[in-house]
Amino acid sequence: MKAYFSIIIFAVLVLSSVVAGTDSYMEARGRIASDLDRALAKALAEKGQEWITADTVRVCRQLGASSSDGVAMLLRDEYFDKSLSIPELRGRSYVSLTVLDEGETVDMICRDVAGICGDTMVVSPVEDNVAGVRVAVRGNVECSFATVLELSDQKLPLALWTAALLWGMLSFYYVRKPRVHAMTCEDFCRIGDISYDKSARVFYDMQHNELRLTPMQLTLMEMFVNAEDHRLTKVEICEALWPGKDDASETLYTLIRRLKQVVGQSSNLRIETERGRAYRLTSNCQ
């Protein structure tokens, strides 16, 4: 499996989780706003005359005259609060009221203090002395991001996110795991507890740590791996590593001695000497 393929799948799973989570979050916000609208319409029908009076209009205008920005009165009402069908919203709701002057539209009224709001409803007081006055009324709730997230259905996003994490861990494990196969494998082989990546020309120990070999040691190890029964004669080694040199016995002895140390410290392999004529790479488990 190619690394980029794993990355693409991981990215798709993460992106799908984010998109699904965002959709679920926005759907929960929509349900909250709809619940506010329904509760406000019910409360206005029952208690609208108590909220919107001549005194309410007068106070709003006085506050507006002393401020350059729009002013809204915030009203906490038990009936409106109990009319909410989502229990988590109760105790956090309030109603905002703003008097609209001549030519002023709903879009021009001041923004809500915080949280989520429903649609704005425009009503007129029933008292004669404030006839023709328009009042913008809106249901609001102090609702944090965490509360909305709790109200949203995050099962699918959580499942996708879990799948992304599992895929990431499995992909990492797959990439880090030594690819150990039979000696006839095209790209990898194993002898004892050492694995060899033919394409990269790298030897690994059981922890998949690369063996630090000099170029000459690496070439000799490759010769051992590829040789029948992992056995090489002194003549074969000298002709391959030092062609044309009359006597490379001492150089070969030094190379074998140092390679024995590296192999012996990193694996269960050892290099055996056969009567000074040949060498054989073998496992201590054999």
Side-chain angles (χ1 to χ4, degrees):
M1 180 174 58
K2 301 296 184 181
Y4 70 83
F5 182 70
S6 298
I7 295 174
I8 290 174
I9 293 180
F10 177 78
V12 169
L13 288 172
V14 171
L15 182 61
S16 299
S17 176
V18 172
V19 171
T22 302
D23 288 344
S24 182
Y25 178 85
M26 297 307 297
E27 189 273 336
R29 283 186 64 98
R31 284 192 291 109
I32 292 173
S34 297
D35 195 25
L36 289 170
D37 292 341
R38 187 196 57 78
L40 180 61
K42 182 178 179 181
L44 282 174
E46 293 292 332
K47 305 189 66 175
Q49 295 182 13
E50 298 179 18
W51 293 350
I52 306 171
T53 63
D55 289 337
T56 302
V57 173
R58 186 184 73 255
V59 171
C60 283
R61 283 178 169 168
Q62 289 176 349
L63 292 174
S66 61
S67 173
S68 58
D69 298 324
V71 175
M73 290 185 62
L74 306 183
L75 171 67
R76 292 192 180 273
D77 185 83
E78 184 177 358
Y79 184 84
F80 170 71
D81 195 62
K82 290 182 177 180
S83 297
L84 294 168
S85 60
I86 302 176
E88 290 80 2
L89 305 182
R90 294 170 187 164
R92 307 177 180 183
S93 66
Y94 61 93
V95 177
S96 60
L97 300 93
T98 303
V99 175
L100 298 176
D101 293 328
E102 183 109 17
E104 196 173 30
T105 63
V106 172
D107 295 334
M108 299 169 63
I109 65 174
C110 65
R111 299 291 181 183
D112 297 286
V113 177
I116 300 174
C117 64
D119 293 333
T120 302
M121 300 182 185
V122 179
V123 296
S124 298
V126 296
E127 298 181 17
D128 294 336
N129 56 343
V130 285
V133 173
R134 297 177 305 142
V135 178
V137 185
R138 179 182 293 173
N140 307 266
V141 64
E142 297 170 349
C143 202
S144 65
F145 173 84
T147 301
V148 180
L149 193 64
E150 183 180 344
L151 292 173
S152 62
D153 183 6
Q154 296 294 325
K155 294 186 182 66
L156 177 59
L158 183 60
L160 290 170
W161 180 250
T162 302
L165 290 179
L166 290 175
W167 179 264
M169 289 187 292
L170 289 173
S171 298
F172 179 78
Y173 173 77
Y174 178 83
V175 170
R176 294 286 298 174
K177 180 181 178 181
R179 293 165 175 78
V180 178
H181 303 286
M183 290 296 294
T184 58
C185 179
E186 181 180 352
D187 294 321
F188 293 87
C189 63
R190 179 174 179 174
I191 176 171
D193 56 6
I194 283 183
S195 57
Y196 172 50
D197 183 343
K198 293 182 180 180
S199 60
R201 298 190 66 197
V202 176
F203 285 88
Y204 298 97
D205 61 16
M206 288 191 64
Q207 288 72 41
H208 200 57
N209 297 315
E210 180 181 345
L211 267 63
R212 302 297 182 182
L213 302 171
T214 65
M216 198 71 74
Q217 291 171 349
L218 174 62
T219 301
L220 183 54
M221 280 294 293
E222 290 175 328
M223 292 175 63
F224 274 123
V225 169
N226 295 323
E228 184 178 357
D229 294 330
H230 313 306
R231 181 182 180 278
L232 295 169
T233 66
K234 290 179 61 177
V235 174
E236 289 175 331
I237 298 174
C238 290
E239 289 182 351
L241 299 183
W242 303 284
K245 189 173 184 179
D246 293 336
D247 185 7
S249 299
E250 190 65 30
T251 307
L252 174 59
Y253 173 77
T254 302
L255 176 61
I256 292 291
R257 178 173 55 83
R258 293 177 178 175
L259 184 58
K260 281 183 177 180
Q261 295 176 351
V262 176
V263 171
Q265 294 172 356
S266 306
S267 69
N268 63 352
L269 298 179
R270 66 178 185 273
I271 299 176
E272 297 179 342
T273 304
E274 296 183 358
R275 297 181 182 180
R277 295 194 305 269
Y279 298 95
R280 185 169 181 264
L281 185 65
T282 183
S283 171
N284 291 328
C285 298
Q286 294 179 348

